[in-house]
Amino acid sequence: MATDIHGPVSTVEGPAATPAVRVEGLTRAFDGRPVIDRLDLTLRPGEFTALLGRSGCGKSTLLRVLAGLDRDISGTVLVPKRRAVAFQAPRLMPWKRVWRNVLLGLDGRPDRALAERALNEVGLGHRSGAWPKTLSGGEAQRASLARALVREPDLLLLDEPFGALDALTRIKAQRLVAELWQRRGCAVLLVTHDVDEALLLADRALVMRDGVIAYETPVGLDRPRAVGDPGFGPLRSRLLTELGVDEPAASS
Ligand SMILES: Nc1ncnc2c1ncn2[C@@H]1O[C@H](COP(=O)(O)OP(=O)(O)OP(=O)(O)O)[C@@H](O)[C@H]1O
Ligand SMILES: [Mg+2]
């Protein structure tokens, strides 16, 4: 059953066999220049997909379309009704306490307990009543994840959510997302610049180039994964090549 929500982006709910996302012939142009150019993409329910690509290739543009934030498109876009997005910058409203930020934009009159359940899931239950400016970068990012989770999404869209975090916090945040994904079972589309991050987390890695998904590979490595696992290196080399990055020659 598909529900039209104005314009060409439609939401779809159906049996598990139907894809979580189906995009066909998607085009988005800015000032007559197509950034997305007849792009096709299918995501399966529960699948974790990483989207890589050089800066400016259109990754965020694609995510915004899937999130329903940009309707100025042509082509077919079918997405689940329940979807949520978290951006690189946590985008918390400074004048609302953390729990109110988590509930922002939800229909009805959701109560604080709902926000706190999501905050507990990301290990932030104790900061529920805090002001956003008192959170660390990693905590703010987790609050942003809680805001996505409270929507119980079938599709979670993450646009470089760990980009601004220090290395250690980033590893913790990656583990958290892996745990949440396994617990929730939603489809995830993660935009990242980090090939290792893609290979640690995803079932499939996509490379966007020239307005389309130019390359994709399954990531069939056992979980939990670590950089340096057997099979990691060749996948990394191939993805770097697809991204136009030459690896330094191995030192002897
Ligand atoms: N609202 C807009 N108006 C005009 N051009 C835009 C707009 N939004 C994006 N663009 C252009 O579309 C192209 C793709 O932008 P997008 O933000 O999707 O890239 P990206 O792949 O997410 O890059 P990055 O990795 O740097 O985040 C860029 O050239 C950008 O300047
Ligand atoms: Mg971007």
Side-chain angles (χ1 to χ4, degrees), residues 48 175-186 223-224:
F48 197 129
R175 287 193 184 147
L176 175 65
V177 165
E179 262 174 50
L180 294 172
W181 166 68
Q182 279 177 337
R183 199 180 315 142
R184 294 292 190 106
C186 55
R223 291 187 166 91

Side-chain angles (χ1 to χ4, degrees), residues 74-118:
S74 61
T76 303
V77 178
L78 290 170
V79 287
K81 201 167 193 165
R82 287 198 309 213
R83 56 205 195 281
V85 59
F87 298 97
Q88 176 170 4
R91 299 189 182 187
L92 302 174
M93 302 292 174
W95 56 88
K96 287 186 185 288
R97 292 184 192 272
V98 167
W99 69 272
R100 287 196 184 277
N101 264 284
V102 168
L103 298 180
L104 213 64
L106 277 187
D107 292 338
R109 289 180 60 85
D111 65 3
R112 183 168 176 165
L114 185 70
E116 289 186 345
R117 274 202 295 280

Side-chain angles (χ1 to χ4, degrees), residues 52 195 199 205 207 215 235-243:
L52 298 151
V195 170
L199 292 175
V207 176
Y215 175 75
L235 281 168
R236 181 208 274 131
S237 300
R238 179 64 201 266
L239 284 170
L240 287 172
T241 304
E242 292 294 334
L243 291 164

Side-chain angles (χ1 to χ4, degrees), residues 51-63 191 193 208:
L51 177 62
L52 298 151
R54 300 188 112 173
S55 181
C57 74
K59 304 179 298 297
S60 296
T61 303
L62 175 60
L63 239 69
V191 169
H193 280 283
M208 192 170 171

